[in-house]
Amino acid sequence: INAEYMGVTTDVPRGVIGVGGAPYSLLLPRSADFADLFDILKVRYSEAISRPALMAMIQLLWNRMDPAGYLSHVSADPLPNTPAHRIITHYGVGDAQVSWLGMYILARSVNASMYSSNVRVANETIFGFNYVSDSTVLTEGNLIQGWRFTGVPNPPLINIPPDKATDTHERPRRTKTAQAQTYRFLTTGEIYNACGGPCVDNS
């Protein structure tokens, strides 16, 4: 609930959203955590074309607590008596629990910038972000940054989860570069590219 919190808090002006995403209807079919429950749904809804419609309908029940419902209030349209907030969003390529696509949606919704060297999945063309050079230090606005980990394959480009054996869900926050970036942001308000280029971790 980190995105929801940053949309409503009156006490915390800056925060880092680690491996988040939205909306649930996009994330769940791509999550290894949902696989067993999704198998049950597949028994009842055997036609694959019916499942996105089902997820869209169920999404109506989730909207009150889905991060997507709070993202406009993070920076651009704060709630009454609530300050505008700034965030950094981190994701890991190959996350088997929260799809990187959900983080793209989250970050676009808060008008996040992206370093031009940000890691790519399968040479994808990423749109909807304000690209900045690796030397840029941001003192306003938000940022999305991804990490690639050696030995982890690209995630599937269809709505199935990556291999849980190489799950990167916990890994971005444990890198020294993410920790350094987080520390500087939370203590000074400055956002910099601690990797100096693409964030590739060999550990």
Side-chain angles (χ1 to χ4, degrees), residues 27 65 78 80 124 127 133 140-141 157 163 166 180:
L27 299 177
M65 276 307 295
E124 66 188 342
F127 64 92
S133 68
E140 58 183 22
L157 298 180
D163 188 347
T166 55

Side-chain angles (χ1 to χ4, degrees), residues 8 18 29-30 35 49 61 63 65 99 104 111-112 118 126 159 166 177 180 187 189 196:
V8 302
R30 295 167 172 81
I49 197 169
L61 301 174
N63 279 344
M65 276 307 295
S99 172
Y104 286 176
N111 197 30
N118 193 73
I126 305 175
N159 59 336
T166 55
T177 47
T187 55

Side-chain angles (χ1 to χ4, degrees), residues 2 17-22 26-27 87-92 98-109 112 129 143-145:
N2 43 21
I17 296 179
V19 292
L26 172 98
L27 299 177
I87 61 172
I88 297 176
T89 64
H90 291 163
Y91 69 93
V98 180
S99 172
W100 88 106
L101 296 172
M103 185 58 92
Y104 286 176
I105 291 175
L106 188 158
R108 286 190 192 103
S109 298
F129 296 107
L143 180 85
I144 177 174
Q145 187 133 26

